[in-house]
Amino acid sequence: MKEHIRKRKIMAVTLTGSLANFLLLVFKFVAGVLGHSSAMIADAVHSLSDFVTDVIVLLFINISSKPKDEGHDYGHGKYETLATTIIGIVLMCVGAGLFWDGANKVFGFYFGGEQLESPGKIALTAAIISILIKETLYRLTLYVGKKENSQAVIANAWHHRSDAFSSIGTTLGIGGAILLGDNWRVLDPIAAVIVSILIVKVAFQLVIPAINDLLEKSLPTEVEDKILSIINETPEVRNPHNLCTRRIGNDFAIEVHIRVDGQITVSRAHELTKEIESKLRLKFGPATHIVLHVEPIKEKKDE
């Protein structure tokens, strides 16, 4: 039931964002064409990438929420990590494309004698509206992503924020080009270049952690230290070692060896492992994957 509610909230906020992105991208394309603004057209392309990533999130969240089955013994959580990676890569491509287009126009203006059209007020209006809508979507999506512990939704929230950044740069560029005269029309493509750099930076911040999870990188040292501390709270358990950790989507996987008195019964050893598992799941979530390997305490001469 809890997973069903989580999925419903994620789907609701993502559908809201996708509808807003679709309306925005149409409005921006029209405003960019009618307003003769390369920055606004670039901003519209960015909104198109937002719409595509919304579709990706909806698809992968639906898959990642499925329970484990015969073909996926560890569940489907990494589909969400894969979605985060795809969103980041899309952002990188969009940022690189915006940079290339803007840089070419700036170079042509300064060194090729090319003339740039002055953007129209409709483009400026579209940019301001975009800032307001995208910042609202960012805050709403980030809230849901953090509350429901969803990497993909948090990544999508930053995609909304990057579009808001893009629109801020676009607003400054278009506004400067309109208000300062013909010699300042180059501010329009310059704005696109600056925004593209911010977009690529955000993309790297999303992609690197997601790739680390896909490559089975260990959990942070402070998390592993906390795991060992929780295990050591059980008096009959000694020397937890061979700790292996990783993420499976939004959940943790913990594998560790523990030592107990070799004279206790198998039943008691089982009780101790269940006690440790309960404490770890209480701290890190009920879906935490835990494997405890029990060994007898070694004599001092063997250690």
Side-chain angles (χ1 to χ4, degrees), residues 21-41:
N21 283 329
F22 178 75
L23 295 175
L24 270 177
L25 74 89
V26 173
F27 181 41
K28 287 181 179 180
F29 269 121
V30 172
V33 172
L34 297 180
H36 308 292
S37 172
S38 59
M40 179 48 62
I41 292 175

Side-chain angles (χ1 to χ4, degrees), residues 27-28 31 40 43 122-132 164 167-168 170-172 174:
F27 181 41
K28 287 181 179 180
M40 179 48 62
D43 210 17
I122 186 174
L124 182 61
T125 301
I128 294 172
I129 292 174
S130 177
I131 293 172
L132 298 176
S167 294
I168 290 173
T170 301
T171 301
L172 294 175
I174 295 173

Side-chain angles (χ1 to χ4, degrees), residues 51-259:
F51 179 70
V52 171
T53 54
D54 284 336
V55 174
I56 292 172
V57 170
L58 289 171
L59 174 63
F60 280 86
I61 289 297
N62 188 53
I63 296 173
S64 67
S65 64
K66 293 180 180 179
K68 63 181 181 179
D69 53 33
E70 291 184 5
H72 300 83
D73 294 331
Y74 294 92
H76 299 75
K78 288 210 170 180
Y79 281 94
E80 192 164 332
T81 307
L82 179 60
T84 305
T85 306
I86 293 174
I87 291 171
I89 291 173
V90 170
L91 268 177
M92 284 185 189
C93 294
V94 170
L98 293 178
F99 179 88
W100 181 260
D101 181 70
N104 278 337
K105 289 184 176 179
V106 172
F107 184 86
F109 179 83
Y110 282 115
F111 302 103
E114 295 182 12
Q115 294 299 312
L116 299 174
E117 288 189 272
S118 177
K121 291 183 179 180
I122 186 174
L124 182 61
T125 301
I128 294 172
I129 292 174
S130 177
I131 293 172
L132 298 176
I133 293 177
K134 297 302 292 189
E135 183 63 19
T136 301
L137 286 174
Y138 161 74
R139 293 178 182 275
L140 175 62
T141 307
L142 186 66
Y143 172 78
V144 174
K146 287 184 175 181
K147 186 175 181 181
E148 304 304 325
N149 190 29
S150 172
Q151 290 176 302
V153 174
I154 292 173
N156 208 27
W158 278 104
H159 206 163
H160 289 314
R161 169 57 70 88
S162 72
D163 206 9
F165 286 159
S166 175
S167 294
I168 290 173
T170 301
T171 301
L172 294 175
I174 295 173
I178 292 174
L179 298 175
L180 300 178
D182 295 348
N183 292 332
W184 293 94
R185 291 179 182 177
V186 72
L187 288 176
D188 186 53
I190 287 177
V193 170
I194 295 173
V195 169
S196 70
I197 295 172
L198 295 176
I199 293 171
V200 172
K201 180 176 179 291
V202 170
F204 271 105
Q205 291 172 339
L206 295 176
V207 169
I208 291 176
I211 289 179
N212 284 336
D213 288 348
L214 291 174
L215 296 178
E216 308 287 352
K217 184 177 180 179
S218 301
L219 297 176
T221 302
E222 58 269 21
V223 176
E224 292 193 336
D225 289 343
K226 185 61 180 178
I227 291 170
L228 295 175
S229 174
I230 291 173
I231 295 173
N232 282 319
E233 290 174 0
T234 304
E236 293 175 75
V237 173
R238 307 279 181 81
N239 189 27
H241 58 287
N242 288 355
L243 175 62
C244 298
T245 62
R246 59 193 171 99
R247 291 185 68 103
I248 303 177
N250 296 307
D251 303 315
F252 290 171
I254 302 169
E255 299 177 15
V256 63
H257 293 202
I258 59 174
R259 289 180 177 153

